Each structure stands twice: as structure tokens, then as C-alpha cells.
Amino acid sequence: MFNRGKNDALLASIREGKTLSQADKINLVISLSVPSILAQITNVLMFYIDTAMVGALGAKESAAVGLVQAPTWLYSGITTATALGFSVQVAHAVGAGKLDRSRRIFKGSILTSLLISFLIAGICYAWAHVAPSWLQAQPEIWKDAIDYLGLYAIFLPIRQLNYLVNGMLQCAGDMKTPSKMAVLMCILDIIFNFILIFPSRLISIFGIEIWVYGANLGVFGAQLGTSLAVCVCTVISFKVALTKSKELHIKEIRGNWFASKEVLSSAWKIGMPNALAQSVLCMGQIASTKIIAPLGTVAIAAHSFGNTVESICYMPGYGIAAAATTLIGQAIGASKKDLAKDFANIITLLGMCVMGILAIFLFFASPMIFAILTPDVEVQKLGVSVIRVVMLAEPLFAASIVITGVLRGAGDTVVPFILNLLSLWGIRITLAFFLAPTMGLMGAWLAMTIDIAIRGVLYLIRLYKTNWLSGVGGQ
């Protein structure tokens, strides 16, 4: 089922206008989704490693990381949207069999994306120094929060290149390389964190005590370890794209290293609404953090760990959404509207089933998971109570995530922006503002649960009750 050669043949069938059987469609959806899901699960594990290692330092350090979690999502979302503006065009070009065009788009996107990321990094670095006080956090966690977010900003251009090259590989049909890099990144993160977070110490292995060097950098070391892992994997991914991918290699492509006006215009139309949608989501999360921060260190830590635990459920959804963007993009590039609709239906059902099953698992397993993440019993109890509430809405959350990937593949990023704006700010933030002061952290998470449930319904209406393919050509 997961044979790369067979997958390539099926993707080639799309480009050549051949008819796929229902079994072929399902096979292609699953085979492209699984590597992407595994990559996202690995990313979750990497964040768990960071969280657990920082959690071992204490609630104060965990709260510092949790405080700036939403701002990192904001800047990450903007850089991801920049990469998306180019990678969706590659999916369309590959689907149409125009490999020379896909290579030119990739070549032109590299320096263009870097310039944008340096601007974003500067803004992020400046914001890092005022974020803790603006979010009304306790002064005791300010320094760690500033160090963590500031270092994240310094490495943001490298992260931009990582999002770009792996997004390009996925849209070209190569899900395996980004998955391998995600696993390697996780392994490197463990090694780097082990060295950078803790002080030099004696560890016991099979009863033998061994002295291990440690840089004792704490929270700063956690971000440095992750950033170094990203750097290594970005270099490897670029080597694969530039030398082994027939859709992306640029050694025979001459001309400007900057994107053409036509490519930039398309990237703007695709990427800007997605960047706005991500910004709306992340600004909403920042606003939620601002509402939660005055509730105290325990609430901030429980909120941070809660987001980490929930990611077990929703990150596979983002993996499936990446596969959706590839399949829908290539089907549209090949002018096969009916095939795009079939892929959308299959992949939406898959996403809702996967996240629904994981939600049931997390509902019962959350006490054990929180115990691994933090030794603070008070944080554990509060975290378990809020995570069980949000699990009730995860299948609908899956619908919004996967359908966003479907719409991205069709080049439609305007509707997700509008739906996110209405649901997040009209429902979540408004309800949290009134519920958190009286219900504490539970009030904020109840507001989030209602928001993602309603948003999921709105996305399902968009997919099944409107003509979402009206703006593209094809059959």
C-alpha cells in the first residue's frame, strides 16, 4: 500500500488524465497521508521532549515556554504561509506535467522567502522583549520567556527554508523525505537538549556511573537544541530537493534567483489570505494567553501542557491536510475537478476518523500523559480537566483542519481566513473574556471547545453545500 513506485505511477496517472478506480483513490490518499501523519507525530514527540525536559526544571520554566508558545505559532504561521504561496503553485505545475515550471518556481522562491523571513525575524526579536510584560505574566518568568522567543527569532530564516523545501517536496509528491527529516530532527533534538538544558552530571547506565557534560542553559538550551536540529535537517532536505527530485532540481535552470512577477502575484493571492488566517488564529491564541496569564503560574503551565497533549490529536490532522493539498493541487493542475472532489470527500472522512479515535484515547490516557510531562500534581489535575472537555469537539476540529488543506490545494485561502476570523474572535475570545474570570482556565478551554465545534460545522458546509471549485478551471 505504501510503495513509492506505485504512488508515483498513480500520481503520474493524474497528470496524464487517466481514470483512477475508487480503490486507487483511497490507496493514494492513505499512502500519501501516512508519511505526513508520521512526520507530524514526530514533531509532536519533539515538542513533548522539549516540554518534558523543561518541565523537569519546574513549573516556572514551563510557564515561561507556555507564555510565548502562541507568539511562536504566529510567526511560524506567517512563514508557513509564505512557503505555501509557492508550494501550491508547484503542485499545480506538477499536476499539469510542467516540470520545468515547477523547478523555476522553486528556484525563485528561495531568496524571495529568505528576504521575507528576515523581516519577520526582526519583528519577532523586537516583540520578544516586550511580550512577557504585555501578556501580564509574573516577572519571575520574564527572562526565560524573552530568551526563548528571542532565540527562536534568530533562527526564523532557517525555519522558513525548512518549511519551504519540505512543502515543495510534499507538493511534488515526495512525502517520504519530509517524514525522514522529521524523525531525524526528533533524534537530534533529544541529543542537543540532553547536552544543552541540564548541568554536567553523573548518570547511571546499567549500574555504571558516567560523567556527562551539560551546558546548563535551561529554557534557552531547549530552544537552541531544537533550532540546531532544524538547521541540520534543512540542509539535508535541500540536498535531496536540489539533486534527487526531478520536479525540483534546478541545476539546469538558468535565470533570476528571485521569483517572477507572475509567480509572486500568485504567491501573494494564495499565501496572503492564509497568512492572515494563521495570524487571526495565533493572535486569538495570544489574546487567550493574555486572558489566562493573570490566573497564575499553575494555570499558564496547565494551559501550555494542555496544548501539548491536544497536539497528539490534531497534528495528524495537519499531516492529512498536507496530503490533501498535494492531491487536490495536482488534480486541479491536471484539470480534473471530479477527481479533486472525490479526494476531498475521502480525505475529510479519513481525518475525522483518525482524530476521533485519538480523542477517545486521550480522554482516558491524559492523566498518565500529564504525569510524564510534569511532576506538579496541581498542574496535572487542572490540565486533565480541561483536555477532557476539548476532546469532545476534536472530530469537528479535524474537519476544519483537513478541509483547509483541501481548499489550499484549490488555491482558496480566502474562505478559511473569513471562517477563522468569525469563529475565533466572535466566539472563542468573546466567551473566554467572560468565562475565564469566573471559571478560571476551564472557562477559557470551554470557549475554545465551542469555537472549534462551530468552526468545523462551517467548514463542512463550505465543502458539501457550496461550489468550492467554482474559481478553478477543469472538468
Side-chain angles (χ1 to χ4, degrees):
M1 176 179 289
F2 310 118
N3 183 275
R4 173 66 194 273
K6 185 175 182 180
N7 293 342
D8 288 343
L10 291 174
L11 288 171
S13 296
I14 296 176
R15 297 193 289 271
E16 294 164 6
K18 296 178 181 179
T19 301
L20 297 181
S21 67
Q22 190 68 9
D24 285 338
K25 295 172 189 175
I26 294 173
N27 179 66
L28 195 52
V29 166
I30 294 176
S31 60
L32 287 184
S33 295
V34 168
S36 194
I37 291 172
L38 292 176
Q40 294 295 340
I41 290 175
T42 304
N43 287 334
V44 172
L45 289 176
M46 187 167 65
F47 193 71
Y48 266 63
I49 292 163
D50 280 357
T51 303
M53 286 183 167
V54 172
L57 299 175
K60 180 173 71 70
E61 288 78 7
S62 297
V65 174
L67 183 73
V68 295
Q69 196 174 65
T72 62
W73 290 342
L74 170 62
Y75 297 110
S76 175
I78 295 172
T79 51
T80 302
T82 301
L84 179 70
F86 296 107
S87 60
V88 168
Q89 294 184 72
V90 165
H92 291 172
V94 172
K98 300 177 180 178
L99 300 191
D100 186 69
R101 173 173 169 77
S102 69
R103 296 165 192 154
R104 290 185 184 281
I105 292 171
F106 178 47
K107 181 178 181 180
S109 68
I110 296 172
L111 289 184
T112 306
S113 298
L114 266 179
L115 286 177
I116 295 172
S117 67
F118 275 113
L119 175 61
I120 298 170
I123 296 171
C124 179
Y125 189 82
W127 164 249
H129 291 78
V130 299
S133 59
W134 185 83
L135 290 169
Q136 300 179 6
Q138 288 77 13
E140 61 183 1
I141 67 174
W142 284 15
K143 184 182 184 302
D144 281 339
I146 291 171
D147 288 346
Y148 189 88
L149 187 56
L151 187 61
Y152 173 87
I154 291 172
F155 281 92
L156 200 56
I158 302 298
R159 293 176 183 271
Q160 171 73 85
L161 292 179
N162 186 63
Y163 296 140
L164 178 70
V165 68
N166 285 298
M168 290 287 186
L169 288 168
Q170 288 174 342
C171 284
D174 180 1
M175 295 293 189
K176 186 178 291 186
T177 298
S179 301
K180 289 180 179 178
M181 290 305 99
V183 173
L184 177 61
M185 195 181 299
C186 184
I187 295 172
L188 292 175
D189 190 41
I190 294 173
I191 296 171
F192 292 149
N193 281 359
F194 186 77
I195 296 170
L196 296 173
I197 293 177
F198 304 106
S200 299
R201 59 210 180 277
L202 288 173
I203 62 172
S204 179
I205 301 178
F206 300 113
I208 301 175
E209 289 193 337
I210 301 174
W211 182 85
V212 176
Y213 169 77
N216 196 27
L217 298 177
V219 170
F220 184 86
Q223 179 55 246
L224 180 59
T226 300
S227 298
L228 292 176
V230 171
C231 290
V232 174
C233 293
T234 301
V235 171
I236 298 174
S237 293
F238 257 100
K239 182 178 179 181
V240 172
L242 296 175
T243 61
K244 296 184 179 181
S245 172
K246 64 180 183 295
E247 297 88 358
L248 300 176
H249 73 78
I250 59 175
K251 54 187 175 183
E252 298 177 1
I253 301 297
R254 297 181 180 180
N256 202 321
W257 276 86
F258 289 95
S260 67
K261 290 183 179 180
E262 179 260 331
V263 170
L264 278 176
S265 176
S266 296
W268 177 269
K269 292 177 182 177
I270 295 169
M272 180 50 66
N274 189 73
L276 290 174
Q278 293 294 324
S279 297
V280 164
L281 281 172
C282 294
M283 289 301 293
Q285 290 162 344
I286 292 173
S288 296
T289 302
K290 187 174 176 64
I291 293 171
I292 292 167
L295 300 177
T297 299
V298 170
I300 297 174
H303 178 66
S304 175
F305 287 127
N307 283 323
T308 303
V309 173
E310 189 196 7
S311 65
I312 295 176
C313 193
Y314 66 67
M315 290 309 288
Y318 284 108
I320 296 172
T325 300
T326 299
L327 289 169
I328 302 300
Q330 293 202 17
I332 288 173
S335 297
K336 305 287 286 186
K337 275 190 178 182
D338 290 340
L339 181 60
K341 289 180 180 179
D342 288 343
F343 279 143
N345 293 335
I346 294 169
I347 210 159
T348 299
L349 179 61
L350 174 65
M352 294 183 72
C353 288
V354 168
M355 283 183 58
I357 292 170
L358 287 173
I360 295 172
F361 166 76
L362 285 178
F363 187 91
F364 294 102
S366 54
M368 179 182 64
I369 297 172
F370 272 95
I372 294 172
L373 292 176
T374 175
D376 193 305
V377 176
E378 193 175 356
V379 173
Q380 290 178 25
K381 290 181 178 179
L382 183 57
V384 170
S385 65
V386 297
I387 202 67
R388 284 180 165 171
V389 171
V390 80
M391 286 300 105
L392 301 176
E394 289 300 300
L396 287 172
F397 192 19
S400 67
I401 292 171
V402 176
I403 295 172
T404 295
V406 169
L407 297 177
R408 278 201 309 255
D412 179 6
T413 52
V414 175
V415 170
F417 164 64
I418 295 171
L419 294 182
N420 290 340
L421 178 66
L422 293 176
S423 66
L424 185 66
W425 287 92
I427 299 171
R428 181 187 302 191
I429 303 305
T430 302
L431 286 177
F433 180 80
F434 290 105
L435 295 178
T438 56
M439 298 179 63
L441 186 63
M442 177 61 74
W445 277 65
L446 180 60
M448 179 172 68
T449 302
I450 295 171
D451 161 43
I452 63 177
I454 294 176
R455 194 188 315 164
V457 171
L458 293 175
Y459 271 94
L460 288 169
I461 291 172
R462 171 61 175 166
L463 186 66
Y464 293 112
K465 298 296 183 181
T466 66
N467 186 8
W468 55 276
L469 283 171
S470 60
V472 299
Q475 302 176 45

